[in-house]
Amino acid sequence: MKAYELLYFVDPATTEEARAGVSKRIDVAVTENGGTIDNVEDWGKRKLAFEIDKLTEGDYTLVNFHADPAQIAELDRVLRINDAVKRHMVVRRTDRD
């Protein structure tokens, strides 16, 4: 398994239940085929460099995990479908393998 890092943000006005649902869905997408979540950091509200969907702030979360490369496509699909996640990025971490 390879090390990855996921950074995503949601609208700061999103309810706590919706944020928990997003986190749970990411957890399921990573762990369903043997992946592991290493660390989850809540970065809180941050100002965006430019306006996205009429938002000027986002509530950021960083997730470090290990997974097979085939699982990344499924995780990306899940994040694109979820309306609460405004933007996301998955990066391979070669320094943590």
Side-chain angles (χ1 to χ4, degrees):
M1 286 200 270
K2 301 185 186 296
Y4 292 94
E5 182 175 87
L6 164 67
L7 181 65
Y8 69 93
F9 80 87
V10 298
D11 184 348
T14 303
T15 64
E16 196 60 41
E17 293 83 27
R19 285 189 197 135
V22 168
S23 179
K24 181 66 176 166
R25 187 63 187 108
I26 290 169
D27 187 21
V28 168
V30 170
T31 59
E32 70 184 350
N33 291 322
T36 58
I37 302 281
D38 299 329
N39 188 27
V40 177
E41 292 180 34
D42 184 20
W43 285 5
K45 287 185 188 178
R46 304 244 175 165
K47 187 167 176 62
L48 301 176
F50 54 91
E51 200 171 276
I52 298 174
D53 292 340
K54 298 183 181 179
L55 296 174
T56 57
E57 288 185 329
D59 194 357
Y60 283 82
T61 304
L62 177 72
V63 181
N64 293 309
F65 63 97
H66 281 78
D68 289 324
Q71 290 177 267
I72 302 305
E74 172 64 16
L75 178 62
D76 190 51
R77 185 189 72 79
V78 166
L79 291 169
R80 286 177 192 261
I81 290 173
N82 196 325
D83 290 335
V85 177
K86 298 300 181 185
R87 293 284 193 275
H88 70 279
M89 183 178 354
V90 180
V91 179
R92 169 113 188 279
R93 296 293 306 257
T94 56
D95 59 333
R96 295 190 181 168
D97 280 343

